[in-house]
Amino acid sequence: MLLRFTVENFRSIAEKQTFDLGASRYFKEMLETNSFSVKTNERNLPRVLRSAGIYGANASGKSTLALSLAFVRWFVVEFFKHSQAGETIPFDPFRLSSFFIEEDTVFELIFLEKSRPENETDPDAQEFIRYQYGFRLNRRRVTEEWLIAYPHARPQRWFHRRFDSEKNIDRYQWGPAFRGGRLREVWKNQTRDNALFLSTAVQLNNEQLKPVFFWFSKRLVLLNARSISEPFPAISRLESEGADKIRSFLKDLDLSIDGIRIVRHPFSPEEIPDHFPAEPREKMVRDMAGKEMKDLEFLHPSADGKDLVPFRIDDESDGTRNLFSFSAHWLNMLEKDQILVIDEIDTSLHPLVVRRLIELLHQSRCKAQLIFTTHDSSLLSSGILRRDQIWFVEKNRGQATVLYPLSDFSVQKEEALEKRYLSGRYGAVPFFRTSD
């Protein structure tokens, strides 16, 4: 579970911005449904919010927040495996200020993970540990990296890496609770300038850091409009687990689909479109000879309710296809307690569907989280989100993104949030110049 994310000097973000998913103790409304408690050794840990929506005008920086989380995940999980020493780290600092162009970019996350996340035989018996992990970097190298753990309620600094620019070396400090002995020097020496110690040490079988890496690689999931519409994860789930859960998901969203099936048949050259160029057509015919094709069919009840009528996926609406594709991500989130971050959720899913999904998440007993950017202001008046679940972004005078929650405002209990938002009461809306 994500408790807090801080980012500084990334794309449209200049000064430090903090996104907080700890439930505020000042608000009592919907506390039991919209947040959950976590079993830890820490007494004063806040409850965790199940969802949060981020609002703002076009080009205000909503996507930048999602992209910053995506960059952190990619840099932790992927970059060290697919890059070489001396390779430039591909990202953009805030470019509208000469000061920030020369400054480092900083990320820090506070999150909760089980002590043995891959052991799901008795997941409820495991306590969660709070971790505070961050790093500072520029395009050339990582200049700082740190990890603090709270396994016994008190902070334990496991490691701290700093770049000494005068001697051109990384200096490491090991905390007494960070195990490894002489292997720590091996992990350190194998860490490239442009890679993270966390990623390198886990690749070299550091067991103590595996829960931290697991959180980034398995818990944190990021989607955009393109990845939501990709059907292969849902098709793969159909083949491995059957259609029951996906069909139930679609029925919860009031779609009249009584079944889904995969129909297999031999490949035929007649299936290749006529406009396909001759040479690629011939290659496809050779490559696919004797192979099996798969078609997806949705079964709809007939008007009299006596039969099920098959529809190919191409016959379904864009909305139905998107929901089918999204079903695998949604079910994985609920089953695996993932943090699902969706950029521009309303471009792929209908506002009423988004509202229903939030309601279903709030009614669940899982420890999953949904974070989304949106323009759909109707959610503000729906009564399903607490004030600390609603966030806004806007550009300041220096054209840098500023992030802030609705809870920063004095809001009356019966205040018309959607109307006030659209009128500019909370900022984060477009400002149009009027002509003279």
Side-chain angles (χ1 to χ4, degrees):
M1 288 78 70
L2 179 63
L3 277 178
R4 184 176 298 169
F5 174 57
T6 299
V7 53
E8 180 179 348
N9 194 22
F10 181 82
R11 296 174 67 94
S12 67
I13 295 174
E15 297 179 338
K16 181 170 70 174
Q17 303 297 315
T18 298
F19 181 59
D20 197 331
L21 285 168
S24 171
R25 293 183 173 91
Y26 295 103
F27 310 128
K28 305 301 181 184
E29 68 270 19
M30 298 178 284
L31 184 64
E32 293 297 323
T33 55
N34 294 27
S35 67
F36 56 86
S37 59
V38 182
K39 181 181 179 182
T40 72
N41 283 323
E42 299 186 70
R43 293 182 179 179
N44 296 320
L45 203 65
R47 291 174 66 89
V48 182
L49 293 171
R50 295 186 187 275
S51 63
I54 305 165
Y55 288 82
N58 289 329
S60 60
K62 297 188 306 298
S63 293
T64 296
L65 189 67
L67 286 170
S68 61
L69 276 167
F71 174 82
V72 171
R73 185 193 182 280
W74 170 80
F75 195 58
V76 171
V77 177
E78 301 295 339
F79 182 75
F80 76 103
K81 294 186 295 186
H82 306 295
S83 60
Q84 304 295 325
E87 189 171 325
T88 299
I89 302 172
F91 75 97
D92 286 323
F94 184 72
R95 294 195 290 176
L96 298 181
S97 164
S98 58
F99 172 80
F100 283 101
I101 288 176
E102 299 301 322
E103 289 295 300
D104 290 345
T105 294
V106 185
F107 304 96
E108 184 178 72
L109 302 96
I110 299 176
F111 56 93
L112 297 157
E113 184 51 84
K114 297 174 183 177
S115 54
R116 299 182 306 280
E118 294 177 330
N119 181 8
E120 295 293 343
T121 56
D122 191 8
D124 293 334
Q126 291 191 42
E127 289 190 340
F128 284 81
I129 297 174
R130 177 162 60 112
Y131 295 98
Q132 182 176 342
Y133 174 71
F135 55 88
R136 179 187 298 267
L137 77 166
N138 52 49
R139 288 196 179 104
R140 300 178 301 279
R141 62 171 301 121
V142 175
T143 56
E144 191 175 5
E145 184 182 1
W146 60 94
L147 176 62
I148 302 171
Y150 298 77
H152 305 295
R154 295 182 179 179
Q156 297 178 353
R157 185 175 293 277
W158 284 7
F159 68 82
H160 195 165
R161 166 193 183 185
R162 283 193 184 95
F163 175 59
D164 185 337
S165 58
E166 292 184 0
K167 296 190 176 181
N168 197 33
I169 60 172
D170 281 327
R171 297 191 181 277
Y172 285 77
Q173 291 178 309
W174 314 116
F178 185 54
R179 302 187 297 269
R182 295 179 180 177
L183 285 175
R184 295 180 302 192
E185 294 299 313
V186 176
W187 302 327
K188 180 189 77 171
N189 293 334
Q190 290 295 316
T191 301
R192 302 193 313 265
D193 293 347
N194 63 351
L196 295 168
F197 175 78
L198 168 65
S199 309
T200 306
V202 170
Q203 188 181 38
L204 297 175
N205 296 319
N206 179 303
E207 293 292 333
Q208 193 177 13
L209 295 178
K210 282 185 177 180
V212 179
F213 189 84
F214 182 93
W215 188 89
F216 285 102
S217 62
K218 302 298 184 183
R219 302 286 190 203
L220 185 59
V221 179
L222 298 110
L223 300 177
N224 54 29
R226 181 177 179 180
S227 52
I228 283 180
S229 62
E230 174 54 60
F232 292 108
I235 293 173
S236 176
R237 188 175 181 112
L238 274 179
E239 292 184 304
S240 62
E241 300 183 23
D244 288 348
K245 290 185 178 180
I246 293 180
R247 184 176 64 244
S248 177
F249 168 79
L250 296 177
K251 278 188 170 296
D252 278 338
L253 300 176
D254 200 29
L255 296 184
S256 59
I257 295 174
D258 278 4
I260 309 170
R261 66 189 181 193
I262 296 174
V263 180
R264 294 174 170 82
H265 61 87
F267 168 76
S268 170
E270 296 178 357
E271 297 183 62
I272 304 175
D274 293 337
H275 64 270
F276 220 64
E279 188 173 338
R281 172 188 289 271
E282 293 174 1
K283 184 178 187 306
M284 183 176 290
V285 170
R286 292 194 304 270
D287 293 344
M288 296 299 295
K291 293 186 178 180
E292 191 177 64
M293 299 290 290
K294 301 175 185 177
D295 286 333
L296 196 62
E297 289 186 344
F298 294 82
L299 305 178
H300 292 260
S302 60
D304 59 12
K306 294 181 179 179
D307 299 301
L308 292 177
V309 181
F311 281 64
R312 292 169 60 97
I313 190 169
D314 292 340
D315 298 327
E316 297 288 349
S317 67
D318 289 344
T320 297
R321 291 201 298 266
N322 282 343
L323 282 172
F324 168 74
S325 301
F326 179 63
S327 65
H329 301 293
W330 180 260
L331 293 170
N332 285 340
M333 180 191 76
L334 298 182
E335 294 168 359
K336 300 177 181 180
D337 291 338
Q338 293 177 335
I339 303 99
L340 187 59
V341 183
I342 306 178
D343 188 24
E344 298 185 354
I345 192 171
D346 45 315
T347 63
S348 302
L349 304 176
H350 190 277
L352 291 179
V353 169
V354 175
R355 177 174 175 172
R356 179 58 179 159
L357 290 173
I358 295 171
E359 290 174 339
L360 290 172
L361 176 61
H362 290 174
Q363 294 165 10
S364 73
R365 295 185 177 182
C366 68
K367 291 180 171 60
Q369 292 173 285
L370 175 66
I371 302 167
F372 58 94
T373 69
T374 183
H375 291 289
D376 176 23
S377 60
S378 66
L379 283 173
L380 298 173
S381 56
S382 66
I384 63 173
L385 295 174
R386 289 160 44 99
R387 282 169 280 178
D388 50 0
Q389 291 178 276
I390 299 170
W391 289 76
F392 302 112
V393 293
E394 66 178 8
K395 293 285 186 68
N396 61 19
R397 291 184 177 180
Q399 294 302 299
T401 294
V402 178
L403 172 70
Y404 53 96
L406 176 62
S407 55
D408 280 357
F409 296 84
S410 178
V411 178
Q412 301 301 317
K413 187 175 182 180
E414 302 301 326
E415 187 165 320
L417 296 181
E418 181 181 14
K419 182 178 179 180
R420 290 293 186 92
Y421 168 62
L422 293 177
S423 68
R425 169 70 172 81
Y426 315 121
V429 291
F431 174 74
F432 303 110
R433 296 183 182 275
T434 57
S435 57
D436 295 332

